[in-house]
Amino acid sequence: MLFKRKKPVELSTVPAPCNVGIIMDGNGRWAKKRGLPRTAGHVTGAQVFRRIAKYCEKRGVKYLTVYAFSTENWKRPQEEVDSIMNLLREYLRESLADFQKENIRTRFIGDRTKLSEDIQELMAQAEASTAQKTGMVLNIAINYGGQQELTRAARTLAERVKAGTLTPEEIDEQMLKEALYTEDQPPVDLILRPSGEYRLSNFLIWQSAYAEFVFMDDILWPDFSEDDLNAAFAEYWRRNRRFGGV
Ligand code: IPE
Ligand code: IPE
Ligand code: MG
């Protein structure tokens, strides 16, 4: 459903959904509108991500998944991919200090084996150093694709069948769900996407089976604000979730 921004009156008191996914889209168009290179949009987008992630924790979101780089984004010009990877590196170095102050547990979802070794090492450090945090779980999706995730889960279960520790009949939805990167996390309640594209682009395809979608078409990610997030939360509570019931 389309979404129109409404006046952000008292919206900061609207309760937050438990599990939120954000497709951080529109960096390139934001830069182009300003006559800047696309990479400038990613720089600002990365700053907005830091701010909004902290704000989500403050607002009581329990699980936040942000789409930072998809399995399809390797198709972009090498220069743009390099610049995104450099921003990730910078974020990881900084977050090792900065995020210690926050009660946020950071996890990375996606196939990290394709990333450079120093980035993989920093990711492992960021996860280990926040593993004991009790607040919001922040999943950062890097080289993530829902189809890749499901394929990997199928392979994990097939290997257990091959090893003789599982029979095909024992495989159920719960088992498949637990073989996803998000493991024991609850289903996604709300997916939001700025930038005017009305699609999932391979994001959380299993986890969002019953999610509410809020597509915000009058805003690009680098302009995304706390008021926009609260407005999306308000829209979420206007929906009638039936889960197949009546
Ligand atoms: C999202 O912004 C960031 C990444 C995909 C890494 P885009 O770079 O897709 O921006 P647009 O959609 O081209 O404007
Ligand atoms: C989805 O955005 C991926 C991220 C935001 C990281 P894209 O810009 O890559 O998606 P498409 O190509 O418009 O579907
Ligand atoms: Mg895009």
Side-chain angles (χ1 to χ4, degrees), residues 47-138:
Q47 286 159 2
V48 172
F49 152 66
R50 286 166 169 80
R51 220 185 62 228
I52 295 295
K54 289 177 192 173
Y55 186 65
C56 280
E57 148 67 15
K58 217 162 64 204
R59 287 289 273 102
V61 173
K62 300 285 177 237
Y63 299 87
L64 172 69
T65 306
V66 291
Y67 208 3
F69 193 85
S70 76
T71 46
E72 287 72 41
N73 286 147
W74 298 105
K75 291 178 196 158
R76 296 185 178 205
Q78 192 59 42
E79 187 197 330
E80 180 170 345
V81 171
D82 289 346
S83 118
I84 293 170
M85 290 301 152
N86 280 330
L87 283 168
L88 172 61
R89 200 175 266 119
E90 204 174 282
Y91 165 74
L92 284 164
R93 290 205 185 109
E94 182 195 303
S95 71
L96 282 172
D98 185 42
F99 263 73
Q100 299 313 316
K101 290 179 263 161
E102 310 289 328
N103 194 14
I104 294 177
R105 184 171 158 209
T106 302
R107 301 174 87 253
F108 294 91
I109 63 170
D111 178 9
R112 57 181 90 180
T113 61
K114 262 204 173 171
L115 306 173
S116 72
E117 276 183 20
D118 72 301
I119 288 182
Q120 291 186 47
E121 178 55 34
L122 287 164
M123 282 170 146
Q125 283 176 29
E127 286 178 335
S129 70
T130 60
Q132 305 307 320
K133 301 279 185 181
T134 55
M136 184 180 82
V137 173
L138 170 64

Side-chain angles (χ1 to χ4, degrees), residues 20-241:
V20 176
I22 304 183
I23 303 175
M24 305 188 290
D25 197 20
N27 294 350
R29 277 163 282 176
W30 181 90
K32 199 175 166 203
K33 259 177 39 186
R34 286 164 177 72
L36 299 168
R38 291 179 56 84
T39 50
H42 297 312
V43 171
T44 306
Q47 286 159 2
V48 172
F49 152 66
R50 286 166 169 80
R51 220 185 62 228
I52 295 295
K54 289 177 192 173
Y55 186 65
C56 280
E57 148 67 15
K58 217 162 64 204
R59 287 289 273 102
V61 173
K62 300 285 177 237
Y63 299 87
L64 172 69
T65 306
V66 291
Y67 208 3
F69 193 85
S70 76
T71 46
E72 287 72 41
N73 286 147
W74 298 105
K75 291 178 196 158
R76 296 185 178 205
Q78 192 59 42
E79 187 197 330
E80 180 170 345
V81 171
D82 289 346
S83 118
I84 293 170
M85 290 301 152
N86 280 330
L87 283 168
L88 172 61
R89 200 175 266 119
E90 204 174 282
Y91 165 74
L92 284 164
R93 290 205 185 109
E94 182 195 303
S95 71
L96 282 172
D98 185 42
F99 263 73
Q100 299 313 316
K101 290 179 263 161
E102 310 289 328
N103 194 14
I104 294 177
R105 184 171 158 209
T106 302
R107 301 174 87 253
F108 294 91
I109 63 170
D111 178 9
R112 57 181 90 180
T113 61
K114 262 204 173 171
L115 306 173
S116 72
E117 276 183 20
D118 72 301
I119 288 182
Q120 291 186 47
E121 178 55 34
L122 287 164
M123 282 170 146
Q125 283 176 29
E127 286 178 335
S129 70
T130 60
Q132 305 307 320
K133 301 279 185 181
T134 55
M136 184 180 82
V137 173
L138 170 64
N139 301 309
I140 304 180
I142 310 263
N143 192 23
Y144 172 88
Q147 292 178 340
Q148 185 273 337
E149 179 182 43
L150 279 160
T151 306
R152 172 180 170 271
R155 194 178 303 125
T156 303
L157 299 183
E159 274 161 7
R160 286 169 57 189
V161 170
K162 191 178 165 198
T165 59
L166 180 68
T167 66
E169 295 71 32
E170 283 169 332
I171 298 174
D172 61 8
E173 288 167 28
Q174 183 63 21
M175 202 177 284
L176 201 127
K177 174 203 178 284
E178 283 170 9
L180 302 176
Y181 291 117
T182 45
E183 297 173 342
D184 57 352
Q185 297 180 18
V188 173
D189 298 303
L190 168 68
I191 297 261
L192 44 120
R193 179 170 194 161
S195 93
E197 310 301 348
Y198 309 149
R199 56 176 170 260
L200 211 41
S201 300
N202 206 6
F203 188 48
L204 302 178
I205 52 184
W206 173 285
Q207 297 87 337
S208 67
Y210 265 102
E212 295 299 326
F213 291 89
V214 174
F215 294 117
M216 308 169 95
D217 52 359
D218 54 353
I219 183 146
L220 301 168
W221 176 251
D223 287 326
F224 195 86
S225 70
E226 285 80 351
D227 285 343
D228 295 314
L229 184 81
N230 288 327
F233 289 175
E235 170 62 22
Y236 170 80
W237 292 109
R238 281 192 281 272
R239 305 283 174 86
N240 182 4
R241 301 185 79 189

